[in-house]
Structure formats: C-alpha cells, structure tokens
Amino acid sequence: MIHLVKLSVGVSSVEELESYRDQRAHWWGADYGEDVHVHRTRMTPRRAGELAGKSSIYWVIGGVIGCRQPILRFEQYVDDEGKSYCDIIMSRDLVRTVPYPKRPFQGWRYLQEKDAPPDLAGEGDGDGSPELAAELARLGLL
C-alpha cells in the first residue's frame, strides 16, 4: 500500500490544521454535501486508483509529519476559467502519528506503508505529549 505526504503550508500545529480545514473548502465552493475535508490541488496523483479509499495523506507541519487523514476519493473540478483541478476528498478525522522529521518539498510524495510513521494510540499517550515527541523527533532522538 502507498500513501501521500503533503506539506501543510502556513500551518504551525495539528490544532491549527483542524480549525483551518473547516474554512478552506468554503472559499473554493467545494461543498460535496457531506462531512468531509477537501484539499484542492492542480494535479491528480498518477496513482490515485491505488490511494482512493485505502490510503491517507500524511501532513508535514513545521518539518515533521504529525498526523494523517484517510483519503476517501478524488474528484475533478473545473473552474469558471476552464482550469482543471483535483479535489482530494478526505475523512475529517485527523489521526495523530508518531512525529517523523521530513524536509520541505514541492507537491506531494508517495510514501510506502513500511515507511509511514505509526499512529499515536491516544493524546499524550506513552512517555509524553505529542509536542514532546515532535521535539525529540527533531533532535533525532525518536
């Protein structure tokens, strides 16, 4: 199985991504009549058929993969000027992951299942908070 990795530009925390996602789709008129999160991008992933309903987007926030969102499907969108876009329709659920450092890149990258950071079992689970885990990951200690 493969996943997508995408930078969450201009977002500094998982909490900010949660609040931001509610506003963004309304700006574009991307209302699919259901409780989903939509991310609009110019290009459709070549491997969209492998991703839809099976994979997640792993969000890079502040240089660290911190959470993922299950991908439900992909929809094509054409604006009033005739430009084509791809709407990535995702579950609204953000699943926190063990923080994993990731350098900046453009677009998205594919991520093999074996390379994906595992989910955190719960808020503040284990030896500390997600913030502490992110700092340890940045220092190369996790």
Side-chain angles (χ1 to χ4, degrees):
M1 179 184 325
I2 59 167
H3 301 282
L4 288 180
V5 179
K6 184 105 175 79
L7 294 180
S8 188
V9 178
V11 174
S12 62
S13 68
V14 174
E15 293 77 19
E16 188 175 346
L17 178 61
E18 285 178 317
S19 66
Y20 183 64
R21 68 182 176 183
D22 293 329
Q23 302 168 8
R24 192 167 188 161
H26 299 293
W27 298 339
W28 305 321
D31 182 7
Y32 286 92
E34 56 190 296
D35 197 20
V36 294
H37 178 211
V38 179
H39 179 75
R40 181 164 290 162
T41 185
R42 274 297 270 142
M43 305 298 290
T44 300
R46 288 189 182 114
R47 299 176 74 177
E50 294 175 62
L51 298 162
K54 303 172 202 149
S55 301
S56 294
I57 289 185
Y58 283 77
W59 291 106
V60 178
I61 301 170
V64 174
I65 294 175
C67 64
R68 66 178 181 85
Q69 279 184 281
I71 297 170
L72 302 174
R73 65 183 185 279
F74 297 88
E75 298 283 343
Q76 295 304 311
Y77 175 83
V78 179
D79 70 11
D80 295 337
E81 298 174 6
K83 288 184 185 174
S84 293
Y85 296 89
C86 174
D87 283 355
I88 304 172
I89 314 299
M90 297 169 284
S91 167
R92 292 182 56 81
D93 299 329
L94 284 173
V95 179
R96 286 186 181 269
T97 64
V98 171
Y100 183 81
K102 188 76 174 167
R103 293 179 187 241
F105 56 90
Q106 288 188 323
W108 61 74
R109 297 289 181 266
Y110 292 108
L111 179 66
Q112 296 295 323
E113 179 73 23
K114 66 180 177 57
D115 298 325
D119 295 347
L120 284 177
E123 276 305 306
D125 205 42
D127 296 325
S129 70
E131 293 78 18
L132 177 60
E135 185 61 25
L136 291 172
R138 258 191 279 281
L139 295 171
L141 300 172
L142 184 63

